[in-house]
Amino acid sequence: MTKHMQTNENTWEIGGKRLSSRLLIGSALYPSPANMEEAIRTSGSQIVTVALRRQSANVKAGGDFWNIIKSLGIEVLPNTAGCHSAKEAVTTAQMAREVFGTNWIKLEVIGDQYNLQPDPFETVKAAEVLIKEGFEVFPYTTDDLVVAKRLADVGCKIIMPWGSMIGSGKGLMNPDNLIAIRKQFPELKLIVDAGIGKPSHATQAMELGYDGVLLNSAIALAHDPVKMADAFKYAVEAGRLGYEAGTMQQREFASASTPTVGTPFWHQFNEEV
């Protein structure tokens, strides 16, 4: 049995669900609904994020979109994209629970329209209310350790710090911050959300010990979204395998991989022959 096949047999738990894929994928920005469907299927992702506002914008278009999402047979993670206050996010989450029939919610409360940085104060406030109402909250936040602690304090079992600004494609701008959050909260499920631009970025996040990555633009805006979805599928698997195997420590000096003491075995073999 190949290692790839073994990886697919490894499952993990998040939000009360047991899954095999650690790639969470968005449903926006694709060239067409058919392209979105093919890319999501190819990615192997078992969680797709959906914006309530997009679903409700046009009844027919929303209905067609929702039918595609349902046909995928995977978990739906509604989000509160576009909200700028805790009150607005809570109301949107309540509506999403009715529309999509799930207590999962990706909590987004934007505090700055320029860089789409989440508002830490309103995010924590909304998370506390939603958790008391029985939601499984997936909060989108920055890579700030104190904010992560506040979210954990109000009951969040999942935290999703950004790699960098939404849609920037810059990758992990502050990996040391992400490492600090991982070390501080070994029992929480941590997902790197936003800023992932290349498959190598996803691999790096997984090598840090994160439980998964959530991305959208990197796949949807690629020249070939389906092929890019396939690339991210393997990138996430490779990163997780690397983390589980234990990557070698960096060194400040060179270390030859071939022994310099004694005779190389192939030289000795040639002499004997």
Side-chain angles (χ1 to χ4, degrees):
M1 182 177 292
T2 66
K3 288 185 177 180
H4 172 61
M5 293 174 65
Q6 291 174 344
T7 301
N8 288 338
E9 290 181 358
N10 292 335
T11 61
W12 67 302
E13 185 276 333
I14 186 169
K17 306 286 186 178
R18 186 151 292 280
L19 307 170
S20 55
S21 173
R22 293 175 180 269
L23 173 62
L24 290 69
I25 192 169
S27 58
L29 305 176
Y30 291 90
S32 69
N35 189 262
M36 175 197 73
E37 179 180 4
E38 187 177 1
I40 293 174
R41 290 189 186 279
T42 300
S43 74
S45 175
Q46 295 169 295
I47 299 178
V48 60
T49 61
V50 177
L52 176 65
R53 294 172 186 236
R54 175 180 176 182
Q55 163 71 12
S56 306
N58 179 289
V59 175
K60 184 181 184 303
D64 292 343
F65 170 79
W66 183 225
N67 287 334
I68 292 175
I69 295 298
K70 288 191 292 186
S71 74
L72 294 170
I74 61 180
E75 302 296 334
V76 174
L77 176 60
N79 66 51
T80 64
C83 293
H84 292 80
S85 70
K87 182 178 180 180
E88 188 180 9
V90 169
T91 299
T92 302
Q94 292 167 337
M95 294 171 61
R97 181 160 58 180
E98 294 299 319
V99 171
F100 299 108
T102 178
N103 70 331
W104 281 15
I105 192 72
K106 179 187 174 186
L107 177 60
E108 296 182 38
V109 186
I110 300 302
D112 183 86
Q113 199 58 42
Y114 175 73
N115 64 11
L116 301 180
Q117 180 169 325
D119 184 321
F121 309 103
E122 295 295 297
T123 299
V124 172
K125 187 188 302 183
E128 185 172 15
V129 172
L130 292 171
I131 288 171
K132 289 179 179 177
E133 292 190 6
F135 282 89
E136 190 70 64
V137 179
F138 292 61
Y140 163 62
T141 181
T142 59
D143 54 6
D144 188 295
L145 180 61
V146 175
V147 177
K149 185 178 187 305
R150 295 292 180 266
L151 289 168
D153 288 344
V154 299
C156 289
K157 299 177 182 176
I158 303 159
I159 298 177
M160 304 203 299
W162 70 3
S164 51
M165 294 179 294
I166 293 177
S168 68
K170 292 184 176 182
L172 310 187
M173 294 289 285
N174 297 297
D176 287 343
N177 291 6
L178 295 174
I179 292 171
I181 294 173
R182 176 72 284 178
K183 289 182 177 179
Q184 183 71 28
F185 304 105
E187 75 286 358
L188 298 185
K189 291 297 185 291
L190 299 180
I191 309 294
V192 171
D193 176 15
I196 299 294
K198 303 175 183 178
S200 58
H201 296 160
T203 300
Q204 182 185 8
M206 298 303 295
E207 288 175 344
L208 296 182
Y210 273 67
D211 297 286
V213 296
L214 193 162
L215 54 95
N216 189 166
S217 301
I219 291 178
L221 299 181
H223 177 69
D224 187 336
V226 176
K227 185 174 290 186
M228 187 61 76
D230 204 25
F232 271 104
K233 172 184 177 180
Y234 293 114
V236 170
E237 291 183 1
R240 183 63 188 183
L241 279 174
Y243 170 71
E244 292 176 348
T247 56
M248 69 173 288
Q249 297 297 311
Q250 294 185 9
R251 299 169 176 171
E252 296 298 327
F253 51 87
S255 178
S257 57
T258 302
T260 56
V261 178
T263 305
F265 75 90
W266 59 86
H267 180 71
Q268 181 179 356
F269 175 78
N270 289 333
E271 287 184 346
E272 291 177 353
V273 173

